[in-house]
């Protein structure tokens, strides 16, 4: 079973539902009598290790960090006009969650942009703030990993882009 692995130990990867993690290694486990190779991916912030079968990694959406160009498009998205549709909040919240869980930095940037509130704007509901924070954190983690800066600097950078655009 010597198929070419997409990732190796030490690589930063993005798993759509959890964001940026690091491949700790490739493990072989015997499951139901079959030898299965698994990527062991740690997500430090959540103190979690996820094991994804090597053969299912692509279907699960596991991918490399975005390119600098893709991050640039995400930052440009933050500067655009927010598009808040006049549908019920529960429907919009579902759409926002789906965008965050897509793992695509541009889709996540759309959520951040649409839910951003400047100091002079009306307050957000608790659930709006929760979704905004989740999206901002997810985008900041990928930006930090791509730019090789810490997450706090990445968050500050995103917020400065947002406040200039507002």
């Amino acid at each position: 079973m010597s198929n070419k692995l997409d990732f190796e130990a030490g690589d930063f990867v993005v798993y759509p539902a959890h964001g940026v993690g690091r491949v700790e290694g490739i493990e072989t486990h015997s499951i139901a009598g079959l030898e299965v190779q698994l990527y062991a991916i740690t997500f430090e912030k959540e103190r979690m290790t996820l094991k994804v079968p090597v053969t299912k990694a692509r279907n699960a959406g596991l991918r490399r960090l975005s390119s600098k160009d893709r991050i640039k498009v995400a930052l440009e998205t933050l500067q655009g006009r927010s598009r808040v549709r006049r549908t019920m909040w529960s429907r919009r919240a579902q759409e926002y969650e789906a965008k965050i869980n897509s793992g695509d930095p541009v889709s996540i940037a759309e959520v951040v942009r649409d839910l951003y509130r400047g100091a002079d704007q009306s307050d957000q509901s608790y659930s709006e703030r929760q979704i905004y924070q989740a999206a901002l954190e997810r985008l900041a983690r990928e930006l930090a990993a791509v730019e090789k800066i810490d997450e706090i600097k990445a968050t500050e950078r995103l917020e400065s882009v947002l406040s200039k655009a507002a």
Side-chain angles (χ1 to χ4, degrees):
M1 202 170 118
S2 63
N3 53 347
K4 173 79 178 84
L5 298 174
D6 292 329
F7 310 104
E8 48 194 53
D11 287 354
F12 279 104
V13 293
V14 176
Y15 188 80
H18 299 293
V20 177
R22 182 191 292 260
V23 176
E24 290 300 316
I26 290 91
E27 303 173 355
T28 304
H29 289 274
S30 180
I31 301 172
L34 295 171
E35 292 291 305
V36 180
Q37 278 190 306
L38 304 166
Y39 289 118
I41 304 161
T42 56
F43 298 88
E44 243 169 62
K45 192 120 186 175
E46 289 85 8
R47 291 190 183 91
M48 173 178 87
T49 299
L50 184 68
K51 296 191 178 181
V52 181
V54 169
T55 56
K56 305 262 193 257
R58 193 165 280 136
N59 289 348
L62 192 66
R63 65 170 174 82
R64 299 198 168 284
L65 290 175
S66 296
S67 65
K68 286 192 186 285
D69 289 343
R70 191 74 180 148
I71 292 294
K72 195 172 149 206
V73 172
L75 291 172
E76 287 164 4
T77 300
L78 291 178
Q79 295 169 349
R81 291 189 48 79
S82 75
R83 295 189 194 96
V84 177
R85 299 203 335 276
R86 298 280 166 228
T87 54
M88 285 178 53
W89 166 247
S90 59
R91 169 80 36 86
R92 282 194 332 233
Q94 279 180 327
E95 290 170 7
Y96 290 146
E97 293 283 354
K99 283 182 174 187
I100 292 169
N101 289 330
S102 74
D104 174 40
V106 175
S107 295
I108 297 169
E110 289 170 5
V111 175
V112 172
R113 176 198 66 203
D114 292 352
L115 292 178
Y116 174 73
R117 295 284 180 272
D120 58 339
Q121 290 171 305
S122 65
D123 286 343
Q124 285 175 304
S125 71
Y126 177 76
S127 56
E128 278 180 309
R129 259 195 328 274
Q130 293 294 101
I131 292 174
Y132 170 76
Q133 277 310 128
L136 183 65
E137 216 170 85
R138 187 74 59 88
L139 192 57
R141 265 191 241 166
E142 188 156 3
L143 176 66
V146 169
E147 302 274 325
K148 295 179 176 52
I149 56 179
D150 69 24
E151 200 178 320
I152 294 165
K153 279 195 181 72
T155 303
E156 287 167 356
R157 181 160 163 213
L158 294 172
E159 288 175 332
S160 95
V161 169
L162 286 163
S163 63
K164 283 186 189 114

